[in-house]
Amino acid sequence: MIPAMLEGINFSFTVSTFIALASLVLAFFIKKPDLHATEEEKERVYKRRYAD
Amino acid sequence: MFALSSVISVTLSMAMFSAMILMPISPIESGLLMLPGAIIMGIMSPVTGRLFDCYGAEVLAITGLAIVVYTTFLFSNLSLETGYFEIMAIYTLRMFGISMVMMPVMTNGLNQLPMKSYPHGTAINNTLQQVSGAIGSAFLVTLMNTRTESVAQNLIAGGPQNKRP
């Protein structure tokens, strides 16, 4: 039973590896935020994107 | 950018919480196994904060996630010969990688929001983390059980497939 369980755990971690790999791909799209943007500018961008 | 950071944090939580559940050892042993990783995470928090100020979130996230991918891959090759301290070392390294990703990515996402939306952003991130952790654990434990069952049936039937060299 133990080898079967080990196989199950390994399979689960393999899937977990692919989930982590998906995160790694997404990390390449991270951009540095504009830290000098004023609150008004942030508000304007936020409203343009999310407001009704 | 906030949405992207939330998605990264969701996928990472799925992978992180599942590793804590999948370890097939007694509660006291698994608690001791996770202790160094938790200590490393605590120590790394201020260090990661400084690195975030110097290099930004992208560099940290890519490095940290590369470590997470590698260590999770090492976990996918466990055998009966794998020692307790070997698993502990891999898990500690994995938590080191996670500490380089979690906080910088979340901070980077929150920095995009106007100040009045910070509480909402934090609440969304925390909720998503808990929910994705629960979903990820359930999903991966289901996969583990299904695979264990099918391999056990094959072994009982005496089939040659799924036997490791």
Side-chain angles (χ1 to χ4, degrees), chain A residues 1-51:
Chain A
M1 192 60 195
I2 290 173
M5 197 176 174
L6 209 55
E7 194 72 38
I9 291 165
N10 284 346
F11 179 68
S12 204
F13 272 117
T14 307
V15 175
S16 194
T17 306
F18 283 106
I19 295 172
L21 207 56
S23 311
L24 180 61
V25 172
L26 288 174
F28 282 97
F29 295 99
I30 292 175
K31 286 180 201 142
K32 209 169 184 177
D34 183 10
L35 293 175
H36 303 292
T38 59
E39 276 305 303
E40 289 75 32
E41 284 169 341
K42 280 187 181 178
E43 191 81 38
R44 209 167 44 243
V45 172
Y46 180 80
K47 274 186 180 161
R48 200 173 61 224
R49 280 189 187 157
Y50 302 110

Side-chain angles (χ1 to χ4, degrees), chain B residues 81-155:
Chain B
E81 283 79 41
T82 312
Y84 180 76
F85 289 102
E86 193 180 338
I87 296 175
M88 187 189 269
I90 297 170
Y91 185 81
T92 308
L93 187 62
R94 193 170 190 265
M95 292 309 273
F96 174 77
I98 288 173
S99 73
M100 286 175 80
V101 182
M102 274 295 188
M103 187 275 285
V105 166
M106 281 172 77
T107 311
N108 196 57
L110 285 174
N111 275 343
Q112 313 282 328
L113 299 176
M115 206 173 274
K116 69 168 189 182
S117 301
Y118 282 180
H120 302 294
T122 312
I124 288 170
N125 266 336
N126 287 339
T127 310
L128 282 177
Q129 255 185 23
Q130 299 299 321
V131 173
S132 63
I135 292 171
S137 307
F139 173 63
L140 290 169
V141 169
T142 308
L143 279 183
M144 183 189 80
N145 282 336
T146 313
R147 180 75 176 167
T148 303
E149 213 168 280
S150 81
V151 173
Q153 276 171 2
N154 282 336
L155 286 175

